[in-house]
Amino acid sequence: MLSSSNTISPQGYDRFRKYLVKESGISLSDNKQYLVASRLGKLLEREKFVKIEELVDALERGGRTSKLREEVINAMTTNETLWFRDAHPFKILKDMILPQYDKRPLRIWSAASSTGQEPYSISMVLEAFKQSKPGKLKPGERIIATDICTNILKHAKQAEYDSLAIARGLTPDNQNRYFDKLSATTWKVKPSIASRVEFRHLNLIDSFSSLGKFDVIFCRNVLIYFTAEMKLDILKRMHASLNPGGYLFLGGSEALSGLSSMFEIVQCHPGIVYKAK
């Protein structure tokens, strides 16, 4: 059975890389056989595949709706996140962006939302702003949270987290204010916070025009996994999904280049945000 990087031939790895980038947009770099072996080892053993080529053959036969394809993409997706990650995007949202919106219900998209920490953190920011400035925001604000990983979405929709996950980036004050304690080790996001978040399955390489228009898009720490060509295509389509003057947040290690005609860089000290022209 496939148990180490030594059992994945260069040809087999190349075939899998091409399949993965075509189906999910995830672009593996050279010599990542060990990563594929570690994440797919159990699946390959269960399906009795000796070579990675056998897996690719089965995936190509099954098409885009197969359960096997879903399992492979779930396994190869990185889902590392925490509450209020990097802090400054949420401060920019609360102090600079939210005060501007009082004419229509705000719509925010959390792309690659993982286990839900980002969209729920955004919802907490909205709640805090509404309490500090009653009547400032139009009622009916929505947060659309999307991810390619179906297993992760199921977890996010439940809005339940263990003590270890709760402790990652969440202050005790926010924990007590926005969560209900279900047991000694389990916490659940309060309905007032969870109710404005809607989770949907989405692959960013596919069309997302059906999501509608947004005032703010959070697309952080995900574009690094795409090829340069796919990244550019996604950013152009995100620009089309923003209302005029809408804002785009990227990850700290991600940069928006070649799109100066579409976005204006807004320096916020600390952090930056991109404003749609």
Side-chain angles (χ1 to χ4, degrees):
M1 298 303 170
L2 188 61
S3 59
S4 73
S5 60
N6 294 331
T7 62
I8 302 180
S9 68
Q11 296 81 8
Y13 179 62
D14 188 56
R15 275 196 69 194
F16 180 74
R17 286 174 66 187
K18 289 178 179 177
Y19 173 85
L20 189 65
V21 75
K22 176 172 68 75
E23 292 297 317
S24 70
I26 299 171
S27 179
L28 295 175
S29 57
D30 294 337
N31 303 315
K32 291 287 186 177
Q33 287 95 326
Y34 71 92
L35 179 66
V36 175
S38 64
R39 295 195 176 185
L40 297 181
K42 291 183 180 178
L43 183 150
L44 291 160
E45 183 176 355
R46 185 196 73 201
E47 299 295 327
K48 297 182 169 54
F49 292 140
V50 177
K51 297 181 179 180
I52 195 73
E53 292 94 321
E54 296 174 50
L55 171 62
V56 178
D57 289 339
L59 290 167
E60 291 176 342
R61 285 196 302 269
R64 299 205 79 190
T65 59
S66 73
K67 179 67 175 176
L68 185 62
R69 173 185 177 276
E70 181 180 311
E71 286 187 80
V72 167
I73 291 177
N74 284 348
M76 295 305 301
T77 303
T78 300
N79 293 289
E80 175 67 18
T81 189
L82 66 156
W83 306 98
F84 297 96
R85 185 174 183 176
D86 300 325
H88 59 263
F90 302 95
K91 180 174 174 55
I92 294 170
L93 176 66
K94 184 174 184 290
D95 295 343
M96 187 189 84
I97 297 177
L98 294 186
Q100 301 178 25
Y101 287 94
D102 56 3
K103 296 181 180 180
R104 61 175 180 267
L106 190 72
R107 296 192 81 240
I108 299 176
W109 177 15
S110 171
S113 58
S114 189
T115 45
Q117 279 88 334
E118 180 175 87
Y120 289 136
S121 294
I122 295 170
S123 187
M124 292 176 209
V125 170
L126 292 180
E127 188 72 13
F129 182 84
K130 292 177 71 173
Q131 291 178 3
S132 65
K133 293 179 172 55
K136 178 63 176 175
L137 287 181
K138 283 285 186 180
E141 68 277 0
R142 297 296 295 165
I143 301 164
I144 306 299
T146 65
D147 202 275
I148 191 176
C149 183
T150 53
N151 290 341
I152 289 299
L153 283 172
K154 291 176 184 177
H155 176 74
K157 289 177 183 178
Q158 291 176 342
E160 296 181 11
Y161 300 90
D162 61 27
S163 298
L164 182 61
I166 283 289
R168 301 194 66 210
L170 198 66
T171 65
D173 181 56
N174 282 339
Q175 180 178 335
N176 293 323
R177 182 178 301 174
Y178 300 124
F179 290 78
D180 292 319
K181 191 171 185 178
L182 301 183
S183 70
T185 58
T186 307
W187 298 75
K188 186 177 181 68
V189 179
K190 285 183 179 293
S192 60
I193 301 301
S195 62
R196 64 170 63 95
V197 181
E198 177 186 345
F199 289 94
R200 299 188 193 180
H201 178 253
L202 180 72
N203 186 337
L204 288 176
I205 66 173
D206 295 333
S207 172
F208 41 74
S209 60
S210 63
L211 297 180
K213 292 283 191 175
F214 296 94
D215 301 296
V216 183
I217 297 177
F218 282 71
C219 183
R220 304 190 304 140
N221 308 301
V222 61
L223 293 179
I224 55 175
Y225 299 107
F226 292 91
T227 65
E229 182 181 4
M230 286 183 175
K231 175 182 175 181
L232 186 62
D233 175 64
I234 291 169
L235 288 170
K236 287 180 177 179
R237 289 187 288 123
M238 284 190 168
H239 177 269
S241 295
L242 281 168
N243 286 317
Y247 293 91
L248 170 67
F249 287 98
L250 298 180
S253 62
E254 297 166 323
L256 193 157
S257 58
L259 294 175
S260 58
S261 62
M262 294 184 175
F263 292 95
E264 169 193 352
I265 299 176
V266 180
Q267 298 283 353
C268 300
H269 310 290
I272 63 173
V273 63
Y274 300 94
K275 186 175 183 179
K277 294 182 177 179

